[in-house]
Amino acid sequence: MEFDGLDNVITVKSANVDLGQALPQHVRESVLRITEKYFGELVAAPVYFSREGPLFRCAVNLQIGSFKMISAGGLGTDCYQAFNVAIEKAAKQLRRKKRAVRDNRARRPSRTTIPFADARP
């Protein structure tokens, strides 16, 4: 996967949490994989980590194309677990949005619903 220019699109930040170097790379790879799977038109994806008592909280916001922003959050005992929970929730929302978009297109009428022109009452 190419990461050229993705630092501006997929931002990974934290409050009082040391992210290291591997976590931001894992986050970028996962966000790219999920968004390319369903739509592929990623505009912005801020990911934010914070502490909440003994747990870590991750908030993922995905802006894809002209759709509304998709937000998901997750809690976990470490940052990876919290992110995985949040990205799975976001993936479920993307899956449902893609299904809704696909189901809104016009359908072909079935043979039983086409009225016959020569049918007489």
Side-chain angles (χ1 to χ4, degrees):
M1 290 182 196
E2 293 293 324
F3 293 117
D4 297 334
L6 285 180
D7 292 339
N8 296 333
V9 176
I10 304 172
T11 58
V12 182
K13 296 186 179 182
S14 70
N16 301 326
V17 178
D18 182 27
L19 299 178
Q21 293 180 351
L23 181 63
Q25 182 178 355
H26 171 70
V27 167
R28 287 185 180 92
E29 288 174 0
S30 298
V31 168
L32 270 181
R33 185 177 61 247
I34 295 295
T35 55
E36 286 177 352
K37 181 177 180 180
Y38 296 109
F39 288 102
E41 301 173 11
L42 183 64
V43 175
V47 179
Y48 188 74
F49 293 93
S50 62
R51 295 275 307 190
E52 191 167 295
L55 302 176
F56 291 90
R57 175 173 292 281
C58 177
V60 176
N61 297 311
L62 301 175
Q63 178 64 48
I64 297 179
S66 61
F67 295 118
K68 288 184 177 179
M69 175 116 19
I70 292 176
S71 299
L75 283 173
T77 55
D78 65 348
C79 290
Y80 287 92
Q81 185 180 18
F83 173 72
N84 290 337
V85 169
I87 199 69
E88 285 301 317
K89 289 180 181 180
K92 181 184 279 190
Q93 292 179 37
L94 285 173
R95 205 169 32 250
R96 290 178 176 172
K97 185 174 291 291
K98 185 170 184 173
R99 186 178 310 132
V101 168
R102 187 177 58 229
D103 289 345
N104 281 340
R105 64 182 180 184
R107 296 179 186 236
R108 294 177 61 186
S110 65
R111 297 183 130 224
T112 59
T113 60
I114 298 174
F116 294 104
D118 61 356
R120 296 184 183 157

